[in-house]
Amino acid sequence: MMRRRQKLRYSKCALAVAGTILGAACQVPAPTTAPQPAAIGPRLVPAPASLVTAAGAPFRILRTTSVFVDTTSAEVRSIGEMLASLIRRPTSFPVAVAPIGVPSIGAIILRLAPDRTALGEEGYELNVTSDSVRLVANRPAGLFRGIQTIRQLLPADIESDMGLDRVDWPIPALRIVDQPRFAWRGAMLDVARHFFTVREVEQYIDILALYKMNVLHLHLSDDQGWRIVINSRPKLTAMGSLTQVGGGPGGFYTQQDYQDIVRYAQARYITIVPEIDMPGHINAGLAGYPELACSTRPPGLYSGTDVGWSTLCVDKEETYAFVDDVVREISAMTPGPWFHMGGDEVQTLTVEQYVRFVERVQVIVNKYGKKMIGWEEITKARLNPTTLAHQWKSDSATAALAYGSKLILSPAPKAYLDMKYTASTELGLHWAGYVEVRDSYDWDPAAYMKGVTERDIVGVEAPMWSETLRNISAVEYLAMPRLPAIAEVGWTPQTARSWESFRVRLVTHEPRWRYLGINYYRSPQLPW
Ligand code: NGO
């Protein structure tokens, strides 16, 4: 799963943006206190809905251990193979994937149970005894989430991609019944302000998978860059991809690249949500198609960070032909049900013009079989009940509830991963304040906004805007450890969460991040 990055171990510090903070993040780990058996449960992030540790001896992975699955399902077999290959590398054990039915003492068994509908799309039940590890789910996604739990229950050395001398690979005896609180546990990556390669996006997906997140929203266009090829509008990337914030070379995804990302995410039960931001944040698009602007001045490329000034000319009919082309091509490449139209920060249109545009885009998005999402500003328009309003800065999103629409919550003072941790953080912005790890963790989505209850929310999402982020190491520094905090906000029932428990569990993941070459911030709020 996350193996290819091992060579970067420790050396990534040198790649990171220079500075004392990143230097500090790359020190050799202080010895951690070895977790006692009773503390094994609390290592999991996100915390499971229910966990009971058992008194018996742990299960031990041995040279003879196999992963047994229903091999008639290619999907289940491939999940079994992911778990087996995770175990093979550091242990050097052969770990076969074999059909259920052959003698299975000392086995790890992954099974789909069509009668366990109460487990839902992503729930699972895990029973570990000294004899076996039994993982059951109603749907394959539940098995995939469950193998992340098995992974986190194993010693952190499981993340090494080199054979280790270690001989003992215990999994504590326990029983877990688990499923997510919210169906939407997302992260957003802005590949427009700075471009990130396919491999870098996959690295980010690997982190989401480890923390049971299930949506990656890609912000594919903005004033500084258009990052995806649209065959019917070739100048979008030919012109619009050539720069980024600060004037670097930019970049774009071919349609093949995009589909590779979609497939990589799909194998980890993560849905890609494409966003084309419109009618504002569109300068890079206008660079190739200046006739879609109302002004006669050619737009040219832009590498600054101001917002709110560019717009499509929403009164021109050809604008809607353009939107149709873009939505059609992207929808055809996107198996997930969503298309995000942006819609934020438009300062140069009247409300009537803006509303008319949003309503027409909604029709186009629905025509291509997708449900629309837009930032909270879209609630000025008449929304379909299937449309989602994406809250980020105010309570204006609540207007969506009158249309039967639901909300995604990304409140900037909690969930914007591009906010600085403190005044001395080199990377990031701070228009929404400083966001320490506890700020990201310690809130309840169902109590965050007046008049918004649990039922009104599909879930939470952690946006990563990239104005200040020149490489993926910088992205990771801001994501870790706030992204696992948001993952737990989205997954774990409110009653099963506490900051005191989270901070202790979270730091036990540090050795994993080091093995995986993931950069992170050593928050003084955490007991490293
Ligand atoms: C805002 C703005 C983005 C910025 C971001 C920076 C939204 C939805 N629009 O969030 O263009 O990049 O803040 O934090």
Side-chain angles (χ1 to χ4, degrees):
M1 283 187 274
M2 296 197 188
R3 309 288 105 201
R4 276 167 282 167
R5 305 185 66 206
Q6 187 67 23
K7 288 194 199 69
L8 290 178
R9 206 178 146 192
Y10 302 124
S11 65
K12 282 193 76 191
C13 308
L15 294 177
V17 178
T20 49
I21 300 161
L22 292 176
C26 292
Q27 285 163 6
V28 174
T32 47
T33 41
Q36 299 307 301
I40 295 288
R43 284 179 181 181
L44 296 171
V45 176
S50 112
L51 177 153
V52 182
T53 48
F59 179 84
R60 292 202 147 78
I61 293 179
L62 304 171
R63 181 162 292 283
T64 50
T65 300
S66 297
V67 175
F68 293 89
V69 297
D70 173 3
T71 45
T72 60
S73 159
E75 219 176 329
V76 174
R77 199 173 55 229
S78 120
I79 295 167
E81 187 49 49
M82 278 177 159
L83 178 60
S85 68
L86 179 80
I87 300 169
R88 278 179 208 131
R89 292 275 184 100
T91 61
S92 308
F93 298 159
V95 199
V97 177
I100 294 178
V102 297
S104 58
I105 278 286
I108 301 175
I109 302 159
L110 273 46
R111 198 167 59 78
L112 278 184
D115 55 323
R116 300 292 303 275
T117 49
L119 290 172
E121 191 60 30
E122 296 180 275
Y124 63 92
E125 182 180 313
L126 178 66
N127 285 290
V128 182
T129 66
S130 56
D131 282 348
S132 65
V133 173
R134 291 170 186 273
L135 178 66
V136 176
N138 188 240
R139 308 275 303 136
L143 289 180
F144 184 79
R145 304 293 174 238
I147 67 171
Q148 304 311 314
T149 298
I150 294 173
R151 175 179 177 189
Q152 289 192 13
L153 289 169
L154 279 159
D157 286 345
I158 199 69
E159 308 294 350
S160 168
D161 79 346
M162 287 176 284
L164 298 176
D165 287 339
R166 177 182 192 118
V167 287
D168 193 22
W169 297 95
I171 305 177
L174 48 65
R175 172 180 160 79
I176 289 175
V177 184
D178 196 13
Q179 61 180 306
R181 175 180 178 187
F182 290 112
W184 190 290
R185 303 172 313 282
M188 188 214 80
L189 186 61
D190 171 8
V191 298
R193 269 55 175 273
H194 280 98
F195 181 68
F196 300 98
T197 64
V198 172
R199 183 58 204 134
E200 287 171 329
V201 175
E202 289 173 352
Q203 288 172 212
Y204 206 53
I205 290 172
D206 287 340
I207 300 176
L208 303 193
L210 176 59
Y211 292 106
K212 300 190 174 77
M213 294 184 108
N214 66 354
V215 170
L216 176 62
H217 162 188
L218 289 175
H219 183 75
L220 290 165
S221 68
D222 213 301
D223 290 321
Q224 301 83 351
W226 187 285
R227 305 298 181 204
I228 178 135
V229 168
I230 303 296
N231 289 328
S232 56
R233 302 277 174 167
K235 286 186 282 183
L236 285 172
T237 40
M239 297 283 292
S241 74
L242 302 178
T243 194
Q244 57 187 14
V245 168
F252 64 88
Y253 305 121
T254 63
Q255 295 203 347
Q256 185 59 52
D257 289 340
Y258 177 78
Q259 289 170 80
D260 289 346
I261 293 172
V262 165
R263 260 193 301 277
Y264 192 88
Q266 228 172 6
R268 288 149 186 81
Y269 297 88
I270 290 172
T271 301
I272 295 293
V273 174
E275 178 189 350
I276 297 296
D277 205 345
M278 49 190 166
H281 289 273
I282 195 74
N283 182 73
L286 298 177
Y289 295 92
E291 63 275 19
L292 298 176
C294 285
S295 93
T296 45
R297 194 168 51 89
L301 298 175
Y302 178 71
S303 58
T305 56
D306 288 346
V307 296
W309 49 276
S310 64
T311 181
L312 288 165
C313 197
V314 299
D315 298 330
K316 286 186 183 166
E317 209 41 43
E318 60 204 277
T319 292
Y320 299 95
F322 166 79
V323 172
D324 196 285
D325 285 342
V326 171
V327 174
R328 185 185 65 250
E329 290 197 30
I330 292 180
S331 297
M333 295 187 286
T334 305
W338 307 104
F339 182 96
H340 201 307
M341 64 149 296
D344 55 323
E345 297 180 313
V346 179
Q347 289 160 16
T348 54
L349 298 178
T350 64
V351 173
E352 294 68 35
Q353 284 177 313
Y354 175 79
V355 162
R356 226 174 320 126
F357 178 80
V358 170
E359 291 176 0
R360 285 195 67 173
V361 173
Q362 187 171 244
V363 171
I364 295 169
V365 168
N366 293 166
K367 178 173 85 175
Y368 290 112
K370 300 298 175 195
K371 300 179 209 175
M372 193 173 85
I373 307 173
W375 296 107
E376 65 186 41
E377 287 91 329
I378 66 160
T379 57
K380 295 188 186 105
R382 179 173 293 277
L383 304 180
N384 292 336
T386 57
T387 294
L388 298 178
H390 196 162
Q391 187 275 340
W392 63 282
K393 67 168 176 189
S394 76
D395 58 6
S396 70
T398 52
L401 304 181
Y403 299 111
S405 296
K406 292 187 191 274
L407 312 182
I408 303 168
L409 295 199
S410 293
K414 302 287 180 192
Y416 264 38
L417 301 182
D418 59 311
M419 291 300 117
K420 290 175 182 285
Y421 292 100
T422 68
S424 59
T425 312
E426 289 175 35
L427 301 169
L429 306 174
H430 62 97
W431 66 262
Y434 300 111
V435 181
E436 251 291 0
V437 182
R438 186 169 186 167
D439 298 311
S440 288
Y441 184 80
D442 233 353
W443 62 292
D444 176 3
Y448 188 72
M449 287 163 77
K450 204 156 168 277
V452 175
T453 64
E454 183 115 5
R455 282 200 318 280
D456 302 323
I457 305 167
V458 291
V460 291
E461 187 172 303
M464 180 70 82
W465 301 97
S466 64
E467 284 94 332
T468 66
L469 307 176
R470 296 201 303 265
N471 54 47
I472 197 72
S473 184
V475 169
E476 289 171 353
Y477 182 74
L478 290 184
M480 304 298 279
R482 291 180 293 194
L483 186 121
I486 298 294
E488 182 156 311
V489 169
W491 180 281
T492 308
Q494 190 66 20
T495 48
R497 298 210 284 125
S498 87
W499 165 250
E500 282 313 318
S501 147
F502 177 70
R503 63 198 284 275
V504 172
R505 280 178 283 123
L506 184 64
V507 291
T508 69
H509 289 225
E510 185 200 27
R512 290 175 195 268
W513 304 339
R514 290 181 170 276
Y515 273 126
L516 297 167
I518 300 171
N519 196 12
Y520 64 96
Y521 161 64
R522 273 181 87 84
S523 167
Q525 295 185 330
L526 299 171
W528 302 102

